[in-house]
Amino acid sequence: MNESLLRELVPAVIGVLVRRGADFASAEDAVQEALIRALDTWPDDPPRDPKAWLVAVAWRRFLDAARAEASRRGRELVVHVEPPTGPVPAADDTLRLYLLCAHPTLTPASAVALTLRAVGGLTTRQIAAAYLVPEATMAQRISRAKRRITGLPLDRTGDLGTVLRVFYLVFNEGYGGDVDLAAEAIRLTRQLVALTDEPEVAGLLALMLLHHARRASRTGPGGRLVPLGEQDRSRWDTGLIAEGVAILQAALARDRLGEYQAQAAIAALHADARTAAETDWVQIVEWYDELLLLTGSPVVRLNRAVAVGEADGPRAGLAALADVPPDLPRYAAVTAYLHERVGDLERAAELYVEAARAATSVPERDHLTREAARVRQLLPP
């Protein structure tokens, strides 16, 4: 199948649905569902008119979703008028749905992708970006997961680690992306903490609270991105920070370190600094070393390079990038920052431009474009 043809057709198909009356977000979701269907059926039965086929399938998906949404709102209205009697359950159906979608027959990666799409409401594009894979690859992964559990009884909950990964990705998308899911991820993780005795669950909750505490300061007027070092720390929610630190300390005392506890420890060190200059970067590097042992993640290596650059100087940070794949998102932005600190302004400006082109959001692109312009102004005439 020609995946490039599919990508070329997506904007046109979305445009047709919008002209028929769909809002852009709903049209995009419907087209993503149609793409999954295309990847599943076209290899064996290619259509004569690919665009018409996609429009027809996407429009049906949109109508089905619109009817389901109308039905859901009707049920919510009934609940609002006639609230149920009896005690409030410790965990609602949403949490149970997350647990069930992480089905034991699925691989962790497939379970996470399917749950994010079916329950979390993220688009295939957003999930692919979180996993650093092409959108078509993620669409196929979700399609295979759906086929695998079709007809199976959903009576067994999945692996706890898989569920935590889902919550982590949902929070990240809600915290920094287009869909506001951060508060919902925190709510569900609180419920999971009450149901389990695992320090990693508490570590994830602490991580969420510590990041959420900074949310008000992350953007300026017009949605302008504000980097951590420039944020107004008086706007940080000290109540959430205190709660997150207390939960983290209790989890670490169990002496069963996991990746979410290590990430929360890094976030706590940032939260503890009264100013950016007072950040304990040496301790942060040590926690990144722990995190790297736990995960081996290239993203962790990239973030560690930033911390090394702050703790030991920008040249040490550039040296730490040697083991990081250059095609990793944010690699060019980090390299630009370190080159600027070294004093190589011309190369820094070039890299900021490159990073802006590869940005995955408008605020990030605009921020990196401004950084490139700022550095260019520092160049000698």
Side-chain angles (χ1 to χ4, degrees):
M1 184 195 308
N2 190 338
E3 293 182 6
S4 63
L5 172 62
L6 280 175
R7 289 193 294 269
E8 291 171 3
L9 288 173
V10 165
V13 176
I14 290 176
V16 172
L17 267 61
V18 169
R19 288 193 295 273
R20 288 186 179 182
D23 62 273
F24 185 85
S26 298
E28 184 181 45
D29 284 347
V31 172
Q32 294 298 329
E33 291 286 343
L35 287 176
I36 293 173
R37 179 81 178 276
L39 289 167
D40 192 30
T41 62
W42 282 16
D44 299 323
D45 185 21
R48 284 179 293 181
D49 187 340
K51 179 180 176 182
W53 189 98
L54 285 172
V55 168
V57 173
W59 183 245
R60 285 198 297 271
R61 297 292 188 189
F62 167 73
L63 293 178
D64 289 344
R67 293 189 189 103
E69 177 67 12
S71 177
R72 182 188 67 78
R73 288 177 179 173
R75 291 194 300 271
E76 287 180 349
L77 181 59
V78 170
V79 170
H80 178 72
V81 175
E82 299 180 21
T85 58
V88 177
D92 60 22
D93 288 341
T94 305
L95 177 59
R96 177 169 172 76
L97 196 56
Y98 273 97
L99 292 169
L100 290 175
C101 278
H103 200 273
T105 62
L106 298 174
T107 65
S110 295
V112 169
L114 177 61
T115 310
L116 289 173
R117 186 70 188 91
V119 187
L122 275 64
T123 66
T124 305
R125 182 182 303 168
Q126 290 167 326
I127 302 169
Y131 269 90
L132 310 179
V133 299
E135 186 177 349
T137 300
M138 183 54 65
Q140 289 177 316
R141 183 180 299 177
I142 293 171
S143 180
R144 284 195 299 268
K146 287 180 179 179
R147 288 199 303 269
R148 188 172 182 85
I149 65 171
T150 297
L152 294 178
L154 295 178
D155 56 357
R156 290 188 294 161
T157 58
D159 174 67
L160 180 61
T162 300
V163 176
L164 292 182
R165 182 65 179 167
V166 171
F167 285 178
Y168 175 76
L169 291 174
V170 168
F171 177 81
N172 281 349
E173 187 59 44
Y175 187 67
D178 300 325
V179 183
D180 189 2
L181 293 170
E184 176 69 357
I186 291 174
R187 185 183 73 84
L188 292 172
T189 307
R190 285 189 188 279
Q191 290 184 5
L192 200 56
V193 166
L195 293 174
T196 64
D197 189 34
E198 290 293 329
E200 264 296 78
V201 181
L204 178 58
L205 178 58
L207 175 63
M208 290 178 176
L209 294 174
L210 289 164
H211 277 295
H212 207 58
R214 304 200 303 257
R215 187 171 188 176
S217 64
R218 291 183 71 247
T219 55
R224 180 171 178 156
L225 186 66
V226 181
L228 175 61
E230 300 173 17
Q231 289 176 13
D232 180 357
R233 299 186 178 217
S234 68
R235 300 184 65 195
W236 290 4
D237 189 325
T238 55
L240 285 182
I241 291 173
E243 182 186 3
V245 169
I247 292 171
L248 173 63
Q249 289 174 338
L252 291 174
R254 304 282 297 279
D255 198 24
R256 287 159 56 192
L257 183 64
E259 62 175 298
Y260 300 119
Q261 295 169 71
Q263 288 189 57
I266 294 169
L269 286 167
H270 284 297
D272 187 54
R274 290 178 299 175
T275 66
E278 295 177 69
T279 305
D280 190 342
W281 287 106
V282 173
Q283 271 204 72
I284 288 176
V285 171
E286 291 173 355
W287 275 111
Y288 270 122
D289 289 339
E290 294 284 352
L291 189 55
L292 196 56
L293 289 173
L294 290 165
T295 67
S297 165
V299 175
V300 173
R301 290 187 186 278
L302 181 66
N303 292 332
R304 179 184 177 279
V306 176
V308 169
E310 298 292 346
D312 301 326
R315 295 191 185 280
L318 287 170
L321 285 174
D323 296 328
V324 181
D327 59 348
L328 196 68
R330 292 186 60 242
Y331 178 91
V334 168
T335 310
Y337 172 73
L338 292 171
H339 273 285
E340 180 186 352
R341 291 199 52 214
V342 166
D344 187 354
L345 300 183
E346 187 172 350
R347 180 60 178 150
E350 292 172 355
L351 286 166
Y352 276 128
V353 171
E354 179 183 332
R357 292 196 187 107
T360 57
S361 71
V362 173
E364 182 185 7
R365 181 201 65 196
D366 291 348
H367 169 71
L368 292 168
T369 301
R370 286 192 297 269
E371 290 296 282
R374 176 184 59 79
V375 172
R376 281 201 181 105
Q377 289 180 342
L378 300 175
L379 290 170

